[in-house]
Amino acid sequence: MRRSRGLTAALVLSLAGAGTGIGLVLMPQASAITPPVAFTADELPTWQPDGIVFAMAQANGTVFAGGTFSAVRPPEGAAGAEQEAVNFVALDAATGKPTACKLAFTVGDGTATVRTLVVSKDNKTLYAGGYFGAVNGTPVSSLAAIDIASCTPKAAFHPGFPATVRGLAVTDDTLYAAGDFNAVDGQTRERFAAVDAGTGALKPFVANVDEPGRAVEVTPDGKNVLLGGDFFTVNGTNSHALAVVNATTGAVTKTYSNIPSNSVVKDISTDDTGFYTGHEGSGGGVFDGRIGLRLNDFTEKWRDRCLGATQFVLPYEGVLYSSSHAHDCSTELEFPDGKRNFLLAQPTNHEGAAPAPVDGFVRGPGKLGWHPTANDGLGEGIGPRVMAVAEKNDVKYMWVGGEFTLINGKAQQGLTRFASTGDVGAPTTPVASASSVKPGEAQVRWRTSYDADDSKLTYRIYRNGSATPAATVTASSLEWERPQASWTDATVKAGQSYSYRVTATDDAGNTSALSAVASVTIPTSVQSYPNQVRADGANLYWRYDDTVSPYVADSSTGGNYSGVQVNAPALRQTPGAVSGASAAMGFNGTSQQVHGDRRQTVGNTFTVETWFKTNTTRGGKLIGFGNNTTRNSGSYDKHIYMTNTGRLVFGVYNGSARTVSTGLFETYNDNKWHHVVGTQGPGGITLYVDGQNKGSLNATSNATYAGYWHAGGDNLSGWPTRPTSNFFAGQLDETAVYPTTLTQAQVKNHFDLAKAPTDSVSAVKATEDTYINQGAPSTAYGTSTSLAVRGTSAYETYLRFDLPAAPAGQVLKSASLQIKTSTQAGAGTADTVSVVPVTGTWSGAGTTFNTKPTLGTTPLGSIAGVPDGSAVHSVELDTAALSAVLGGSYSLGLTSTGTDPLWIWSSESTAAEGTPQLVLTFGAK
């Protein structure tokens, strides 16, 4: 019997994306991991067998592993010679190395194997079951008792099991066995039996079943035994795969009829929170997951219906750890069918009230942030098969055995282990974006990071290259659920450019690299189109202005339904659909798409909206909802798609496909930007194109399922006038989803606003720069990576820019100079630095203090002191003065009257954001 060591602290899994603490940096304990998970996901060096591990047990800091193998070898790359290990090895829990205990499990005919191990209550005896005829030459019959202290088989203990023993459980005086046998010591015992734990004498316990037994577990009070396996009857009573019987007689106590006939029980465990079963099956309607049962009456408290053959369940400190190859947890509202997840953890009980039953079953507790990776490996390709927790020197170790040959992407066969301390894995690097739609605020957004043993991470946002965070945000994420987090900077100034970088830190203090720089220029007036989309209540808004893969930012005001790019769509396609600086995303029509990062459900009232441009003759899905991500969805509707001829179709499914389409001769594959909107509400569904109503239908409901929004592609099988391709070839822009029905007036307003004039921004980098030094009057510094400014003794910096002309119909509305202090100590200055025009000629190669140009006397702008520390700073400039010189080459000088020098990066520097630049905002007159 496997018992956990106790209950856990309360589980906390909540997203706190809006909370900030300015300048707050917390230093967590070095060994911390996100509770209630008790182990890191960092694999430790462990000796490994040359075959498969089927069984594990532990006692007194030693881990016993049994299976089908002949030798063990050191971890990959470690020193040491291979050692013989015939289907069994004993290992030090703390070092992962073999101990002096050597046992060989052999058989005269066939292949010997150890399939189950269990330790007596007093930790003195190890019981082993499987298929073998001798242990170190001592005759046995598929069941053996080992004296742990001397590492020798007990010759007097040898009950006769003529076939494989697959499961064991032990009390103070009784050993229960499950397997393939039909008799024990010549007496009928079909697949389950009990023997005296000391002598091996057969007990009167009879629980005969019609198919193999695989698991057995004793209740904590010792009065009942849970049986698991393939069977359909117990002592002639119908009960499939699971049953409870009297511990003394084997008489049936409780039967079960709600486990599918094509599924079996592979393992049963218990602790003070309940009983837990792991299941495996094949075929349609299979149950491959886990069940939680109550201690008092053996009734079901929850059922986790993830697909992927659960081999083992281990409750420990309030968490149920399991080994499987779970590949589809859609029923649990978690990951869809796809990648195999071999090691999972979830609370043993629901936090608070359990969710309402679905299809007659209460869903299992949600998965926790413990996610070491493995692979299918050898044999049946099952991956991990068995688990055990051992403790030594006050450190707890989770041991895992099975068929795998990789752990966390590294070569490691059959055995691995994880500790309760020493978390060293840093979170993945956040992918960030920044945007602004009105003066006075900038939104910084990022895809939450993934950490294999920490689901709650701390994010620090750094502005303009500063070493001190501007804000701290805490957010939760899992490997398959990485929702967007965000922070709003309300201290920005219109017309100025800002840059942001984000890091992620786990509870152990491991910190990711800085994200790539996300830059934004704050507009001098409200950007009418995106501001209206947000005001009209979009809870998903993909603008496709992203600069890196695979993240697509959600620019809505609170949905945080970011997207994930699939197969690298083309970024920053211009011009976009909305006037100004908007960019679009390009799709190839064969494999590229964007899908939502968070599963959700959609009601019978919604609006989908996007802009598109294409000349395709193969059609494709522009936007829609489906229950998968990178694979074709099995449920899919609420979509807008294009036919081969360029017509548009909007449809929902409510038992049949209900669609509205544009007219026979209304086609939109003319390589021009078009606006399309589909709505559903109490009045039915309506399709709008370019602000015009193209038809309605009285369809007030749709298919109800959990899924993801898709742009650029997903399944279209079975839909009317289905195009050749599920995928859209062309460009998409400004995709939005609303939980309401937009009116025709709102739709028309969006269409009109997209064409309204808006501000445009030009970032103009210096084409040449240098500085002069009064202390070295003949030296030219044109190739220096740094520039300097000081009054006495004089340093002056000169910058040259090629200024663009104002766009037609627009004027310069704001201008600022952006510089970045260098990393040298004392790079900042306490003095005021002024920006003045340069009125003389100069060059980087030839300008020295002796040949310096003349500087203007009227400052274009100034900055009153620059703090130490490498960071970006902006100086607002005189707009009228800059307007007069647009369209030509223009030089600026930086001067000071004090004695404290300012050091900044030059255009020759490779420092991020280091090049001096002008930020020019143009807008309507």
Side-chain angles (χ1 to χ4, degrees):
M1 174 168 32
R2 294 175 296 278
R3 299 291 304 278
S4 83
R5 297 182 56 85
L7 300 178
T8 184
L11 168 66
V12 179
L13 276 177
S14 60
L15 178 66
T20 63
I22 303 301
L24 177 63
V25 178
L26 302 177
M27 295 306 295
Q29 295 180 352
S31 62
I33 44 184
T34 303
V37 169
F39 305 96
T40 79
D42 302 317
E43 78 287 353
L44 297 174
T46 307
W47 278 59
Q48 49 194 322
D50 59 356
I52 299 170
V53 173
F54 290 105
M56 298 182 81
Q58 65 84 31
N60 308 317
T62 298
V63 173
F64 308 105
T68 306
F69 49 86
S70 61
V72 292
R73 63 187 186 277
E76 296 294 320
E82 184 176 271
Q83 298 181 16
E84 183 180 61
V86 183
N87 302 314
F88 175 88
V89 64
L91 305 112
D92 186 288
T95 66
K97 298 179 179 179
T99 70
C101 177
K102 310 293 183 184
L103 296 171
F105 288 76
T106 57
V107 68
D109 184 23
T111 301
T113 184
V114 176
R115 290 300 177 117
T116 179
L117 295 168
V118 69
V119 171
S120 63
K121 298 296 184 180
D122 59 8
N123 280 348
K124 293 182 178 180
T125 303
L126 171 68
Y127 297 97
Y131 179 70
F132 45 83
V135 181
N136 283 1
T138 299
V140 292
S141 183
S142 293
L143 182 63
I146 311 298
D147 178 71
I148 292 177
S150 63
C151 187
T152 58
K154 296 182 177 181
F157 182 97
H158 85 74
F161 283 79
T164 303
V165 175
R166 299 184 179 276
L168 292 173
V170 67
T171 65
D172 291 334
D173 58 6
T174 304
L175 180 67
Y176 296 89
D180 300 346
F181 48 86
N182 287 314
V184 178
D185 289 338
Q187 298 187 46
T188 300
R189 294 292 190 273
E190 296 179 350
R191 286 100 183 185
F192 290 96
V195 300
D196 186 278
T199 67
L202 185 66
K203 290 201 168 188
F205 173 91
V206 176
N208 292 332
V209 302
D210 57 335
E211 296 289 345
R214 297 181 182 270
V216 60
E217 185 68 280
V218 184
T219 59
D221 61 11
K223 295 181 180 180
N224 291 281
V225 177
L226 282 80
L227 313 178
D230 303 22
F231 53 83
F232 292 87
T233 64
V234 181
N235 290 338
T237 301
N238 290 334
S239 189
H240 175 53
L242 183 66
V244 184
V245 299
N246 181 274
T248 301
T249 67
V252 176
T253 300
K254 184 174 180 59
T255 61
Y256 296 86
S257 60
N258 60 357
I259 297 172
S261 61
N262 57 354
S263 299
V264 304
V265 169
K266 293 299 294 288
D267 188 44
I268 307 173
S269 292
T270 188
D271 73 350
D272 294 337
T273 66
F275 300 99
Y276 303 94
T277 59
H279 298 254
E280 176 185 86
S282 61
V286 69
F287 174 55
D288 264 352
R290 293 154 292 282
I291 294 177
L293 303 165
R294 297 178 180 88
L295 287 173
N296 59 341
D297 60 3
F298 314 112
T299 57
E300 185 171 313
K301 57 182 180 177
W302 54 257
R303 179 175 294 208
D304 185 318
R305 292 179 289 170
C306 290
L307 296 176
T310 302
Q311 301 299 305
F312 202 82
V313 285
L314 176 56
Y316 183 78
E317 295 188 348
V319 173
L320 184 66
Y321 298 89
S322 59
S323 58
S324 70
H325 55 255
H327 57 87
D328 186 353
C329 283
S330 299
T331 58
E332 305 306 298
L333 303 183
E334 294 169 329
F335 50 87
D337 193 15
K339 174 187 173 182
R340 289 188 167 194
N341 299 274
F342 293 93
L343 296 168
L344 298 174
Q346 61 196 127
T348 52
N349 290 321
H350 286 285
E351 189 70 14
V358 177
D359 299 332
F361 301 106
V362 174
R363 287 192 183 99
K367 307 303 183 297
L368 299 172
W370 184 73
H371 197 244
T373 63
N375 68 338
D376 294 345
L378 309 171
E380 298 176 48
I382 293 293
R385 281 186 172 272
V386 65
M387 313 171 86
V389 174
E391 183 174 347
K392 190 170 184 179
N393 301 329
D394 296 324
V395 177
K396 304 176 183 72
Y397 298 90
M398 169 65 80
W399 280 72
V400 180
E403 300 179 353
F404 53 83
T405 57
L406 294 174
I407 291 293
N408 292 334
K410 302 172 185 175
Q412 179 68 30
Q413 182 174 331
L415 284 170
T416 191
R417 62 199 175 99
F418 310 92
S420 59
T421 61
D423 179 12
V424 297
T428 59
T429 302
V431 181
S433 74
S435 65
S436 177
V437 300
K438 59 185 178 182
E441 69 174 44
Q443 287 76 43
V444 184
R445 305 179 177 91
W446 61 95
R447 188 185 190 206
T448 48
S449 297
Y450 164 59
D451 188 283
D453 43 32
D454 289 276
S455 56
K456 190 174 184 179
L457 301 174
T458 298
Y459 298 88
R460 293 181 176 89
I461 303 98
Y462 299 87
R463 185 173 76 173
N464 286 349
S466 172
T468 301
T472 301
V473 172
T474 300
S476 294
S477 56
L478 297 169
E479 196 261 355
W480 53 84
E481 184 175 85
R482 296 170 59 183
Q484 175 177 284
S486 60
W487 172 71
T488 297
D489 187 350
T491 65
V492 295
K493 296 181 179 180
Q496 293 196 16
S497 181
Y498 297 84
S499 64
Y500 301 89
R501 304 182 82 178
V502 183
T503 63
T505 302
D506 67 16
D507 277 356
N510 301 305
T511 299
S512 73
L514 283 162
S515 71
V517 174
S519 300
V520 61
T521 299
I522 311 305
T524 56
S525 59
V526 172
Q527 293 184 347
S528 54
Y529 183 89
N531 189 62
Q532 193 63 52
V533 170
R534 288 152 53 101
D536 284 341
N539 62 358
L540 179 155
Y541 186 19
W542 296 339
R543 301 204 67 197
Y544 305 117
D545 295 333
D546 310 278
T547 58
V548 293
S549 298
Y551 170 63
V552 175
D554 176 11
S555 296
S556 71
T557 56
N560 280 331
Y561 286 108
S562 52
V564 179
Q565 302 164 30
V566 178
N567 294 322
L571 306 181
R572 304 292 301 171
Q573 303 293 288
T574 56
V578 175
S579 60
S582 172
M585 185 172 286
F587 298 84
N588 62 10
T590 58
S591 63
Q592 295 172 339
Q593 60 156 310
V594 171
H595 67 75
D597 221 357
R598 291 172 58 194
R599 184 188 295 268
Q600 58 179 299
T601 56
V602 179
N604 294 327
T605 299
F606 70 92
T607 297
V608 290
E609 171 183 43
T610 196
W611 288 79
F612 68 92
K613 182 173 74 170
T614 184
N615 59 2
T616 184
T617 57
R618 301 178 73 248
K621 183 176 293 191
L622 280 70
I623 180 173
F625 194 71
N627 69 342
N628 212 306
T629 52
T630 57
R631 298 187 178 187
N632 262 354
S633 293
S635 298
Y636 44 96
D637 76 328
K638 296 176 274 290
H639 48 209
I640 297 171
Y641 58 93
M642 177 175 281
T643 70
N644 289 348
T645 61
R647 298 172 64 193
L648 294 171
V649 181
F650 170 55
V652 298
Y653 185 85
N654 60 7
S656 62
R658 308 297 303 279
T659 62
V660 178
S661 61
T662 57
L664 187 61
F665 300 106
E666 291 183 294
T667 58
Y668 298 91
N669 54 348
D670 55 3
N671 220 28
K672 297 178 181 179
W673 280 111
H674 294 284
H675 180 233
V676 59
V677 176
T679 68
Q680 182 176 41
I685 62 173
T686 302
L687 173 65
Y688 302 92
V689 182
D690 293 341
Q692 302 299 310
N693 186 329
K694 296 299 180 180
S696 299
L697 183 69
N698 184 24
T700 58
S701 63
N702 58 63
T704 301
Y705 55 92
Y708 309 83
W709 286 107
H710 293 250
D714 195 17
N715 205 349
L716 284 170
S717 296
W719 282 78
T721 56
R722 180 192 177 188
T724 299
S725 176
N726 289 337
F727 293 90
F728 173 73
Q731 296 179 355
L732 295 177
D733 201 3
E734 307 293 330
T735 298
V737 178
Y738 307 76
T740 59
T741 302
L742 293 186
T743 66
Q744 182 165 2
Q746 288 175 304
V747 172
K748 182 62 165 60
N749 186 37
H750 289 195
F751 176 70
D752 293 338
L753 287 175
K755 304 306 177 185
T758 187
D759 291 353
S760 60
V761 177
S762 294
V764 184
K765 295 184 182 295
T767 57
E768 192 170 15
D769 51 32
T770 191
Y771 75 100
I772 56 90
N773 178 3
Q774 187 175 13
S778 300
T779 303
Y781 295 92
T783 59
S784 173
T785 58
S786 296
L787 304 169
V789 184
R790 183 173 63 192
T792 306
S793 61
Y795 294 147
E796 293 175 359
T797 284
Y798 313 124
L799 309 169
R800 180 176 288 114
F801 300 92
D802 291 335
L803 300 181
Q810 294 188 333
V811 297
L812 183 66
K813 299 180 69 175
S814 70
S816 63
L817 173 65
Q818 182 173 288
I819 55 176
K820 185 176 184 181
T821 43
S822 73
T823 53
Q824 73 180 65
T829 180
D831 300 327
T832 295
V833 175
S834 297
V835 181
V836 296
V838 175
T839 57
T841 60
W842 64 278
S843 69
T847 298
T848 68
F849 180 81
N850 292 333
T851 62
K852 66 176 185 172
T854 303
L855 302 183
T857 57
T858 302
L860 302 175
S862 64
I863 183 169
V866 176
D868 286 342
S870 182
V872 176
H873 300 276
S874 290
V875 184
E876 294 183 64
L877 302 180
D878 186 307
T879 304
L882 268 294
S883 296
V885 294
L886 292 174
S889 180
Y890 188 62
S891 295
L892 298 175
L894 275 64
T895 66
S896 175
T897 58
T899 59
D900 186 13
L902 170 69
W903 289 92
I904 62 176
W905 294 120
S906 75
S907 59
E908 280 77 20
S909 170
T910 58
E913 317 144 275
T915 300
Q917 64 177 358
L918 289 175
V919 179
L920 309 176
T921 301
F922 298 95
K925 295 180 180 179

